[in-house]
Amino acid sequence: MDIAARRKADPDHWRLAAAIRALSMDAVEAANSGHPGMPMGMADVATVLFSKHMKFDASAPNWFDRDRFVLSAGHGSMLIYSLLHLTGYEQMSLEQIKNFRQWGAITAGHPEYGHAEGVETTTGPLGQGIATAVGFAIAEEAMRAQYGADLCSHKTWVIAGDGCLMEGISQEAIGLAGMQKLKNLIVLWDNNDITIDGRVSLSDATDQLKRFEASGWRVLSCDGHDAADIDRALTDAASGADDRPVFVSCKTIIGYGSPKKQDTSGAHGSPLGAEEIAATRAAYGWDHGSFVIPADILDEWRAIGARGRAEREAWNTRVDAAANRDEFARRISGAVSDKLAPTIAALKEQALTAKPKVATRKASEMVLEVVNPELPETIGGSADLTGSNNTKTKDLGVFSAENRTGRYINYGIREHGMAAAMNGIWLHGGFRPYGGTFMCFTDYARGAMRLSALMGLPVVYVMTHDSIGLGEDGPTHQPVEHLAMLRATPNTMTFRPCDVIETAEAWEIALSSETTPSVLALSRQNLPTLREEAGENLTAKGAYVLREASDKAKVVLMATGSEVEIAVAARDMLEAQGVPTRVVSVPSMELFREQSEAYRKEVLPKGPVRIAIEAAVRQPWDWLLLGERGKSKKAGFIGMTGFGASAPAPTLYREFGITAEATVAEARRLLD
Amino acid sequence: MDIAARRKADPDHWRLAAAIRALSMDAVEAANSGHPGMPMGMADVATVLFSKHMKFDASAPNWFDRDRFVLSAGHGSMLIYSLLHLTGYEQMSLEQIKNFRQWGAITAGHPEYGHAEGVETTTGPLGQGIATAVGFAIAEEAMRAQYGADLCSHKTWVIAGDGCLMEGISQEAIGLAGMQKLKNLIVLWDNNDITIDGRVSLSDATDQLKRFEASGWRVLSCDGHDAADIDRALTDAASGADDRPVFVSCKTIIGYGSPKKQDTSGAHGSPLGAEEIAATRAAYGWDHGSFVIPADILDEWRAIGARGRAEREAWNTRVDAAANRDEFARRISGAVSDKLAPTIAALKEQALTAKPKVATRKASEMVLEVVNPELPETIGGSADLTGSNNTKTKDLGVFSAENRTGRYINYGIREHGMAAAMNGIWLHGGFRPYGGTFMCFTDYARGAMRLSALMGLPVVYVMTHDSIGLGEDGPTHQPVEHLAMLRATPNTMTFRPCDVIETAEAWEIALSSETTPSVLALSRQNLPTLREEAGENLTAKGAYVLREASDKAKVVLMATGSEVEIAVAARDMLEAQGVPTRVVSVPSMELFREQSEAYRKEVLPKGPVRIAIEAAVRQPWDWLLLGERGKSKKAGFIGMTGFGASAPAPTLYREFGITAEATVAEARRLLD
């Protein structure tokens, strides 16, 4: 059916969809940058979705029980900006649309969480949206199980393109969703057969329906330009016919209506140009000026934006009547529990007395064992390394299709999918997710970990086996550059605690964070309790004096995690040789950087030799060793300069020269 | 069928397989660390594969036309070490087996490329093996097309576990392999239904046969403990019945034969213990001591190792007779073409005259346009950003099922799969692969990029859109921490050239590298030709004086890539103000670090104020700003402290304060 026939067959639908198409073309043209083809192709599907299926109220973008809409194909950002403007989200003024992709506008090139209400998550790196949506759907199931369908019952809708489906993270996401039977998750595939390089067949021949079915999804198809057929498919998808998540293939034409560019990659990523826009307007029968939406069409869209108002008000009434409304309000606000601080304080006191010698991964488990029962909002998990990451505590129960009140998720061997799901769980609200894998496999999760930081989501990464100290598994499993990578990433707190007390403090900070993710780098090997006081949270200062020198310090040793023990031993040796030596523990460089200059100078005075000890590369240490302005001093580093090796941990420390003896020798060399 | 029945039914097979099982148990026990369950489970499949199907000659591990064997489930390393020892690979002595996982042994915890001949690629991080194998299979097809089946015709066999198949990278790999119809690629799935956390059903419900079929694979199944059934399946798999790659589900029992631990995750990752080993030996009917292989069984295995000798000799004869044998020998040796240097030199001379103002991504294309016709070993590609990465040159042709002589691969939206495939292409031999994506999506490819570095493979990553200079696509697409990440990674050359000449020099180094991967960070925006001499490859020094100060320098400005232009502009302003200022271009920190101390001091003398300019985080610059030993000097940094934003590039540079004016102001402040 050609466009003229489509227009004629369903004029009411057509003009609503045409408004999206026109705004998208115009905004990309004005910005002279952007992706018009996807919004033009998916306008029909989006119109049917928003007008007939999505539960939302444009006047209350953050209504907790709204359906979530995730534009996984984030380059098509003008689709969501158009929808938000048309349905009446207050922030999304026409002015913002006109300033698409400009400095200070909320209409960023790709949808950015926190810029515009109604954007549920940042997308753009392909596949992140669909994987984050799995987290939304998990959180919805879990909250419904805990608070009942009266307070939580909604769907998560995703629009994904071929790019999202080719990315590996999509398989992790759909495997997890299929196994977990997340029936309220519905993915709409923009099946337009075009990628940036040309037709999909240049690079892919996957039978996507069969693939999703193999992963435990129900699959449907529709003509993505036929409103009635779209409505049929979405009605079926939303019906909950069985307990599987639903994948809907929407056959569309990219850049639909552009006489010269539709159905080509030319419509994907650049403005159509004035002439082609005029021709496309004619094809649409849209004779309104640039950025002009006629009042009657806007009124219709605004009515769509108000469709959910009564439902929201009824929900408000139910919440007000709920016995547990205060706790529910706290949970969905993300506020920190007041039970956290005393729980951590008690554990620290115990540790100060008992002085356990345990791996910090075990210390982390000790923290979780006391925290999880007090904080019902935690939801843990691991990428199939539960016994190694020590992430599962006795009280949690396993989250599954049969047990939605379980608070431990077996993410499977899916680090990237886990990280993205954690982002979605936090974004949904109601939970504080944490998840574990080996530190080295931050490599696999990087894409989603960066989005945790960019969006400002206080999720917690429990990264165990954090150095050559893991021993025999060898260099593929031994991080050496990962601390540098994490410390280079903006808005990421990287903790490397040295004992139980620092581990407890790091957890306290991580679980109190509101806008920053935390990474806990934890040892496999046992470490002594080194702290001699448990009052203040010293980890919150980033670095502090753990052992004072017997006299004015001639040497300051800085270290983190498992190397603090080495620093303390080296100090004892140096002190025995008459060299006053201070040990500074540095559990978080980021937090130390935030301290006052006076405090930083107090911890790291100008005169003494400085040596840092960390079983990793030196890069992040230079500023601490040398001072940001390059003060005159002598500095050394005991650590790694290349990859690790496969052998027992004590052998590796000895062979790579990360020992108290090597530290003492370096100190003496620098003192001479 | 129980074990006793199996033994009785096929005693000849059984004892061969039992030798693998016994060695694996014993070595893990001796190391007190490792993964016995997988070798015990897959011993039957491996025995049939090596004894009846694999083309190899243990006396010539690097015979080019051997079948490749990739143990994607790398934790089962004792499987391959046992096979190599038993079949008679000279390096793999019994002593090495006894030293499993010890310092200096070639029997690392996970198989490490370069440690033991016969280990075709490093595995351990799950999914890497299967994805690297796709590269092997691509290279095999391409070499066969170029040199004929007489010189190149072999298969790539992979053993993969559930972990490999759950990792997202596996989907990228199988999608690419299916689309490319790599019929000589055969994946054997160790379908044992167990992961570290327990039964697979805890975290996955994927119908793998259906999933692979959806991705364009032929699928087969067998009983992984029945030698005849395995042989039937492998014969079918190797028959080339159609043009699809083949996936074989081998139903196995992890830790097969261990009375207490088989079919449980308890057999996965720790020694069985002396008592259980004794019980398992009894079940096997293996009454030989620890590490003892009876002579008759060893003889049988050694005969298997010699099976391919005649075939190899026939191949040698064919090679000797081939008209193009010298070029073939050069190609498979990986030696650098002597055409490279003059081609680069000519381009540099032209650029010096023409002084083009182009983006360095375009400069890279200009290099490839002249290099690719001269170097038939290059094989390029992009993760669906061909027009943006400028990776495709006119002469290449597209590699596809229909055109195996094409030298450009449409990798699809699969950054991780692309990186792993490039590793495999290099490891196979015959080609120098390069591939492009956006710099920010090094995040997606990290897992395989780390293996390029760890294995020492000179593949080339063409990473365009390398800073906020990409503009409107916004922070999800704007790298700020990625240069730090790459520079922190051992054995990785990170180049950020400032113009056409530096780009050509970086390519020259990258294409001459033998054991180090290169990352080219390239701009989207146009940059002037700044170099004023084209003789020596100055990029090879890592950093050099690009503009000398008019008098003894009071300020030294260091910069890379697009910010060198800013440094030059700031120098001109400072010079106009009477401040002698030197500009140092730093295309590669790694190479500068390798220079003599004298040269480094010459480029960066002690006295002047130092300012670095780079649109990224400061972390990697501290050592250059402050000196490794912390000499007394004043230093400043003009760059990023957080994520970018969505706006036109000039706006972003202005708003983030990365300008010549800001540089001048910082210099004046530090001079005061």
Side-chain angles (χ1 to χ4, degrees), chain A residues 172 176 380-392 408-420 422 434-439 441-442 444-445 460-464 477, chain B residues 126 162-164 166-168 195-198 202-203 268:
Chain A
E172 300 187 18
L176 180 58
S382 165
D384 197 48
L385 288 167
T386 296
S388 299
N389 300 146
N390 299 64
T391 33
K392 189 175 173 190
Y408 191 78
I409 300 174
N410 290 305
Y411 284 107
I413 299 120
R414 303 181 178 105
E415 299 80 7
H416 205 177
M418 173 175 76
M422 291 207 293
Y434 69 85
T437 184
F438 287 159
M439 178 76 172
F441 302 141
T442 50
Y444 278 46
V460 186
Y461 294 96
V462 183
M463 299 309 206
T464 71
H477 286 52
Chain B
L126 293 172
D162 288 291
C164 294
M166 275 196 241
E167 290 289 359
T195 73
I196 290 175
D197 278 357
L202 280 176
S203 58
H268 170 82

Side-chain angles (χ1 to χ4, degrees), chain B residues 487-562:
Chain B
R487 290 168 181 157
T489 305
N491 195 39
T492 300
M493 287 189 287
T494 309
F495 295 100
R496 193 160 184 256
C498 72
D499 66 4
V500 177
I501 294 177
E502 280 194 0
T503 305
E505 291 176 342
W507 267 111
E508 183 175 26
I509 299 162
L511 293 174
S512 307
S513 171
E514 295 183 346
T515 56
T516 303
S518 297
V519 180
L520 274 59
L522 303 172
S523 76
R524 178 189 183 217
Q525 68 272 38
N526 287 340
L527 303 174
T529 299
L530 293 170
R531 270 280 284 279
E532 294 170 340
E533 51 180 327
E536 193 183 358
N537 186 326
L538 296 175
T539 299
K541 298 186 163 188
Y544 62 91
V545 178
L546 179 73
R547 291 285 185 278
E548 190 47 284
S550 59
D551 199 346
K552 185 159 186 269
K554 288 190 174 169
V555 174
V556 173
L557 302 178
M558 298 178 276
T560 73
S562 44

Side-chain angles (χ1 to χ4, degrees), chain B residues 175-321:
Chain B
L176 179 58
M179 180 268 161
Q180 285 285 355
K181 299 184 175 166
L182 303 173
K183 69 171 184 297
N184 283 336
L185 175 62
I186 302 169
V187 172
L188 311 176
W189 172 30
D190 179 15
N191 179 8
N192 63 23
D193 201 32
I194 293 290
T195 73
I196 290 175
D197 278 357
R199 302 214 78 79
V200 167
S201 58
L202 280 176
S203 58
D204 194 45
T206 305
D207 180 339
Q208 297 290 1
L209 291 177
K210 189 167 176 175
R211 173 189 167 207
F212 273 75
E213 225 170 31
S215 301
W217 289 56
R218 195 155 75 92
V219 297
L220 302 168
S221 296
C222 70
D223 175 343
H225 297 302
D226 178 334
D229 199 44
I230 296 165
D231 187 37
R232 173 199 55 77
L234 299 195
T235 303
D236 191 357
S239 68
D242 61 31
D243 59 6
R244 290 175 294 172
V246 187
F247 178 72
V248 185
S249 166
C250 309
K251 194 78 205 75
T252 60
I253 294 168
I254 193 170
Y256 190 54
S258 161
K260 286 191 184 150
K261 297 196 173 171
Q262 73 170 11
D263 199 27
T264 74
S265 57
H268 170 82
S270 45
L272 296 179
E275 197 179 326
E276 188 66 8
I277 288 181
T280 309
R281 278 187 140 72
Y284 292 166
W286 186 266
D287 51 7
H288 317 294
S290 186
F291 293 113
V292 174
I293 308 293
D296 57 336
I297 296 180
L298 193 58
D299 285 348
E300 274 189 70
W301 268 115
R302 293 287 151 96
I304 290 168
R307 245 185 347 109
R309 203 151 301 168
E311 202 167 353
R312 179 173 64 81
E313 282 160 3
W315 179 85
N316 278 338
T317 307
R318 293 198 299 275
V319 171
D320 288 342

Side-chain angles (χ1 to χ4, degrees), chain A residues 31 33 35 101-103 108-110 112 122-128 162-163 166-169 171-172 175 179 195-198 201-207 210-211 213-215 382 384-387 410-416 440-441 443-444 446-447 450-451 453-454 472-482 484-485 487-491 617-620 622-623 626-636 641-643 645-648 651-652 655-656 666 669-670, chain B residues 31 33 35 101-103 108-110 112 122-128 162-163 166-169 171-172 175 179 195-198 201-207 210-211 213-215 382 384-387 410-416 440-441 443-444 446-447 450-451 453-454 472-482 484-485 487-491 617-620 622-623 626-636 641-643 645-648 651-652 655-656 666 669-670:
Chain A
S33 158
H35 302 74
R101 294 185 154 228
Q102 303 310 304
W103 180 261
H110 293 79
E112 301 284 343
T122 294
T123 52
L126 293 172
Q128 293 294 333
D162 287 293
M166 274 195 242
E167 290 288 0
I169 189 176
Q171 185 61 31
E172 300 187 18
M179 180 269 161
T195 74
I196 290 175
D197 278 356
S201 58
L202 280 177
S203 58
D204 194 45
T206 306
D207 180 338
K210 189 167 177 176
R211 173 189 169 208
E213 224 170 31
S215 301
S382 165
D384 197 48
L385 288 167
T386 296
N410 290 305
Y411 284 107
I413 299 120
R414 303 181 178 105
E415 299 80 7
H416 205 177
C440 217
F441 302 141
D443 283 346
Y444 278 46
R446 264 292 302 174
R450 187 175 203 254
L451 286 190
L454 180 56
E472 293 89 343
D473 273 344
T476 55
H477 286 52
Q478 290 162 354
V480 295
E481 70 274 43
H482 300 77
M485 286 166 49
R487 289 169 181 155
T489 306
N491 195 39
V617 299
R618 173 172 165 153
Q619 194 186 93
D622 286 320
W623 72 283
L626 309 168
E628 282 173 81
R629 295 274 171 242
K631 303 297 178 196
S632 181
K633 66 182 69 73
K634 290 184 166 184
T641 55
F643 293 110
S646 174
T651 307
L652 294 176
E655 294 288 344
F656 287 114
E666 176 71 357
R669 201 179 64 77
L670 292 169
Chain B
S33 158
H35 303 75
R101 293 186 156 229
Q102 303 309 303
W103 180 261
H110 293 80
E112 302 284 342
T122 294
T123 51
L126 293 172
Q128 293 294 332
D162 288 291
M166 275 196 241
E167 290 289 359
I169 190 175
Q171 185 62 31
E172 300 186 18
M179 180 268 161
T195 73
I196 290 175
D197 278 357
S201 58
L202 280 176
S203 58
D204 194 45
T206 305
D207 180 339
K210 189 167 176 175
R211 173 189 167 207
E213 225 170 31
S215 301
S382 165
D384 196 49
L385 288 168
T386 296
N410 290 305
Y411 284 107
I413 299 118
R414 304 181 178 105
E415 298 81 8
H416 205 177
C440 217
F441 301 141
D443 284 346
Y444 278 46
R446 263 295 298 174
R450 186 176 203 255
L451 286 190
L454 179 57
E472 294 90 342
D473 273 343
T476 54
H477 287 51
Q478 290 163 353
V480 295
E481 70 274 43
H482 300 77
M485 286 166 50
R487 290 168 181 157
T489 305
N491 195 39
V617 299
R618 172 173 166 151
Q619 193 186 94
D622 286 319
W623 73 283
L626 308 169
E628 283 174 80
R629 296 271 173 242
K631 303 295 178 197
S632 181
K633 66 183 70 73
K634 291 184 165 185
T641 55
F643 293 110
S646 174
T651 308
L652 294 176
E655 294 288 343
F656 287 115
E666 177 70 356
R669 200 180 64 76
L670 291 169

Side-chain angles (χ1 to χ4, degrees), chain A residues 224-239:
Chain A
H225 296 302
D226 178 334
D229 199 44
I230 297 165
D231 188 38
R232 173 200 55 76
L234 299 196
T235 302
D236 190 356
S239 68

Side-chain angles (χ1 to χ4, degrees), chain A residues 19 26 75 78 114 123 190 266 279 283 302 322 374 524 576 597 631 643:
Chain A
D26 291 346
H75 51 274
M78 269 313 302
T123 52
D190 179 15
R302 294 287 151 97
E374 297 294 334
R524 178 190 184 217
E597 198 178 341
K631 303 297 178 196
F643 293 110

